[in-house]
């Protein structure tokens, strides 16, 4: 029992730092139980099926008809959903996750959807016909109401000019009142009136008289449901020729013509009939809309569950199309990748599916041997998911390769905080992330399609840790919105100066020789540095050195992680020929440089008449670490300078005894590591292959006795052919080792320099914060009186906006991208290949989330 528990714990801990151990399995399912078993596996989401019919067309597979039926059901559901959204009816989302229906239930679902679609289409067609009839009657009502004014205007004696135009002089002398004018009346879209009028004037040469009036209320278009504005018009003319021409123009502009009686009494009688019919139509339309609303409300209660059921059915049949049929046509054969730890869980799910289907034949799950690379599966939770996504964005880990994500959980926010170190800005970031974490469930339920928000919400735990670590480094830097906290009182004294001198000067240089009391500040930076004129000089040196120290430790850690890869995959040759020279090269050169920094910090201090009276251990005699490192690489000794004739400088150019000899030894070993990385691996591979060839040849001789002439020639030919193949392999190995060696040696220099971005961005962030404070908020704090309060309020609002927009968002994004680069390039290049492919299991949860996201994007 204890041995089993130990093995489980070992596998679990191993999966934390590596991907899950996967195995290829062959699955035998009885045809009657296959649907239920695949349904159970879909709910479980731990099996990735392989396509055993890659050469078979999608339309020629066994379950293509069932997939088409599911497509048709999904189309009907999308139509119902569109109509529900059109009426603004809320769709009930209970959060339930119904199981996939049995195949026999598909018929009931199809019948239900068919009935709903037909009923809804019939109601829509009837409603459209009624609306069209209602529109026509409404337009006719406006025509009858407004044309009375037009007829009165034409009968007015003062309109003699228009009558002369239409009837002519002879017509008036012959009794123009006896000659009847022809007319047509109709309705046209309001925006077409100007063009319509111009066309009438040009086509009829001014021999028509057009009168139009706007319909005040908009009318609903039955086809689209849009509200449109129209105008009533009436055209007076004389003669059949003009009548034909006018009607063609009206048809071209899609104007609707209506019959309009000439006699006022007939128009009044028609208007009364139209009003009666409109009232009847309103009643019928209301009843139709109520019936449609009832149908959609009933559908809205179940449409979410219907979508889930149909998509699950469709996913199951898609998966079944990946299977093969055995020769008896009674068994389905599948191949799938599964995690080794979950085999028992998968077998239980298969047994449940078999029991649900009523089958008596149990499913068979056999592990298979394969030379294929298994997929990479890293178990994640809501906390580690964001960090794993950062790693996978660079490249999915190779199978069982060391996973950088667990280490990134600490190193990523820490290196970010080194660049973003500000207690105030970190607190803003921390508060925002804490709000997202605390309101996690309601925010996740909103399911917005805002891409920026989704990125922030998905990385809420990353932002949470970045804000928390930034608060810590802000305390170390003693930087809060470019100001400092005086928690423990300053450990500096500005001697021989009065308070008036300090106030008049504002900023004074700090001289450790006279002003330092001698006791270090308990935590972080002394607050007096905020007032020091030489603050930037001091902080530059400090931040530059810690950037190099953190960078070299980070790279060393990456090389050590690579050792665990070599040990796991049993690459003894890589340990000897790659890891050992790499770690020696990095330690003997660059880590030694960090040791010199610590020696300098410990050994040398500011000259002080009481605390440090020895000149040789003062900062005056402290050698430059950079110059020392350059001289070390160039095998150059520091020159001792004469100050006064034969009197030598009392400063010792060496930090400790025997430094010159040790440095020469370190450089020589580091230089030897380069040919070690370049030639050792190909040479050892050649020796191993020669040894193997000799063993094979000896075995061949022993089995066949003494070789005759022909046998000797044949064996010689085989050896020569193998030698040629060996030379080709050795050439590839040599090229690979050359590239790898050059990349590592030059990369060690460039990557070390690359970590200086920690210093540069930290300095830039602090200076931007200080500039914003001095140029904006400080001016508001100097104002007095009531006007000063208003000015301070406005300046504070501007300062707060710029702080969030520039210093938190833009600077935070910049520091995030630089931190990402340090992990992808400087850290992961030491051990991470990232040449795997993701484990994509058959999971209903993933499929439904993808379908939901696609549906929201389409809307």
């Amino acid at each position: 029992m204890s041995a089993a528990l130990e093995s489980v714990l070992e596998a679990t801990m191993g999966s934390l730092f590596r991907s899950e151990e996967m195995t290829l399995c062959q699955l035998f399912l009885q045809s009657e139980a296959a649907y239920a078993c695949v349904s159970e596996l879909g709910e479980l989401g731990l099996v990735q099926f392989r396509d055993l019919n890659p050469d078979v067309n999608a339309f020629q597979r066994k379950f293509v008809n069932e997939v088409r039926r599911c497509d048709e059901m999904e189309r009907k559901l999308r139509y119902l959903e569109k109509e529900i959204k059109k009426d603004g009816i809320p769709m009930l989302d209970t959060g339930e996750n119904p199981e996939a229906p049995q195949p026999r239930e598909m018929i009931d679902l199809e019948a239900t959807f068919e009935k709903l679609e037909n009923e809804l289409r019939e109601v829509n067609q009837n409603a459209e016909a009624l609306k069209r009839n209602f529109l026509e009657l409404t337009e006719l009502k406006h025509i009858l109401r407004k044309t009375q004014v037009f007829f009165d205007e034409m009968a007015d004696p003062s309109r003699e000019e228009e009558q002369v135009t239409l009837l002519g002089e002879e017509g008036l002398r012959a009794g123009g009142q006896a000659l009847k004018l022809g007319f047509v009346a109709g309705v046209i879209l309001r925006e077409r009136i100007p063009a319509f009028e111009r066309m009438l004037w040009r086509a009829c040469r001014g021999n028509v008289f057009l009168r139009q009036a706007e319909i005040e209320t908009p009318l609903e278009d039955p086809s689209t449901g849009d509200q449109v504005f129209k105008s009533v018009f009436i055209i007076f003319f004389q003669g059949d020729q003009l009548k034909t021409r006018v009607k063609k123009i009206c048809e071209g502009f899609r104007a609707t013509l209506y019959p309009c009686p000439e006699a006022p009494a007939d128009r009044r009688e028609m208007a009364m009939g139209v009003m009666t019919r409109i009232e009847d139509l309103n009643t019928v339309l209301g009843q139709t809309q109520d019936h449609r609303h009832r149908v959609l409300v009933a559908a809205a209660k179940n449409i979410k569950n219907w979508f889930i059921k149909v998509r699950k059915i469709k996913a199951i049949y898609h998966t079944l199309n990946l299977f093969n049929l055995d020769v008896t046509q009674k068994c389905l054969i599948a191949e799938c990748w599964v995690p080794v730890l979950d085999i028992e869980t998968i077998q239980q799910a298969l047994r449940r599916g078999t029991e649900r289907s009523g089958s008596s034949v149990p499913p068979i799950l056999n592990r298979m041997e394969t030379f294929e690379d298994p997929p990479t599966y890293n178990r994640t939770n809501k906390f580690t998911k964001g960090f794993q996504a950062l790693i996978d964005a660079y490249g999915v880990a190779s199978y069982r390769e060391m996973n950088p994500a667990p280490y990134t959980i600490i190193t990523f926010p820490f290196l970010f905080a080194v660049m973003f170190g500000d207690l105030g800005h970190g607190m803003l970031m921390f508060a925002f992330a804490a709000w997202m974490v605390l309101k996690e469930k309601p925010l996740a339920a909103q399911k917005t399609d805002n891409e920026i928000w989704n990125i922030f919400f998905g990385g809420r735990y990353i932002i949470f840790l970045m804000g928390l670590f930034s608060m810590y480094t802000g305390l170390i830097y003693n930087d809060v919105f470019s100001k400092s906290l005086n928690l423990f009182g300053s450990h500096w004294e500005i001697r021989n100066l009065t308070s008036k001198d300090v106030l008049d000067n504002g900023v004074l240089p700090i001289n450790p020789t006279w002003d330092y009391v001698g006791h270090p500040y308990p935590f972080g930076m002394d607050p007096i540095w905020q007032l020091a004129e030489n603050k930037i000089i001091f902080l530059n040196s400090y931040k530059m050195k810690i950037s190099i120290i953190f960078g070299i430790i980070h790279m060393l850690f990456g090389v050590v992680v690579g050792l665990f890869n070599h040990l796991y995959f049993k690459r003894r040759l890589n340990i000897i020929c790659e890891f050992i020279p790499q770690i020696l090269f990095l330690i003997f050169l660059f880590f030694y440089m960090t040791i010199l920094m610590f020696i300098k910090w410990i050994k040398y201090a500011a000259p002080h008449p009481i605390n440090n009276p020895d000149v040789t251990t003062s900062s005056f005699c402290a050698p430059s670490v950079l110059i020392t490192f350059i001289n070390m690489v160039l095998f150059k000794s520091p020159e001792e300078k004469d100050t006064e004739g034969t009197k030598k400088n009392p400063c010792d150019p060496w930090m400790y005894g025997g430094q010159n000899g040790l440095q020469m030894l370190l450089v020589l070993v580091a230089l030897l590591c380069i040919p070690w990385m370049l030639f050792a691996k190909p040479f050892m591979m050649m020796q191993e292959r020669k040894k193997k060839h000799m063993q094979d040849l000896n075995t061949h001789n022993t089995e066949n006795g003494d070789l005759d002439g022909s046998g000797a020639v044949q064996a010689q030919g085989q050896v020569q052919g193998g030698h040629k193949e060996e030379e080709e392999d050795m050439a590839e190995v040599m090229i690979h080792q050359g590239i790898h060696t050059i990349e590592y040696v030059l990369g060690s220099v460039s990557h070390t320099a690359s970590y200086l971005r920690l210093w540069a961005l930290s300095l830039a962030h602090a200076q931007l914060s200080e500039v914003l404070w001095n140029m904006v908020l400080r001016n508001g704090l100097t104002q007095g009186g009531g006007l000063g309060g208003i000015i301070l309020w406005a300046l504070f609002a501007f300062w707060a906006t710029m702080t969030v927009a520039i210093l938190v968002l833009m600077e935070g994004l910049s520091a995030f991208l630089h931190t990402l680069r340090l992990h992808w390039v400087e850290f992961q290049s030491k051990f991470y290949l990232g040449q795997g492919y993701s484990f994509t299991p058959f999971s209903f949860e993933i499929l439904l989330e993808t379908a939901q996201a696609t549906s929201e994007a389409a809307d």
Side-chain angles (χ1 to χ4, degrees), residues 157 373 391 400 626 680 707 811:
D373 291 331
I391 302 301
R400 299 293 288 169
L626 180 61
L707 296 174
E811 281 284 309

Side-chain angles (χ1 to χ4, degrees), residues 217-251:
T217 57
L219 304 175
E220 182 182 353
D221 189 345
S223 302
T224 62
D226 298 334
Q227 299 291 323
V228 294
F229 289 89
K230 294 188 176 184
S231 296
V232 172
F233 67 87
I234 186 168
I235 305 171
F236 294 96
F237 51 82
Q238 185 183 18
D240 293 336
Q241 186 177 2
L242 281 178
K243 180 179 181 180
T244 304
R245 194 174 300 173
V246 166
K247 285 188 175 181
K248 286 184 178 181
I249 295 172
C250 291
E251 183 180 351

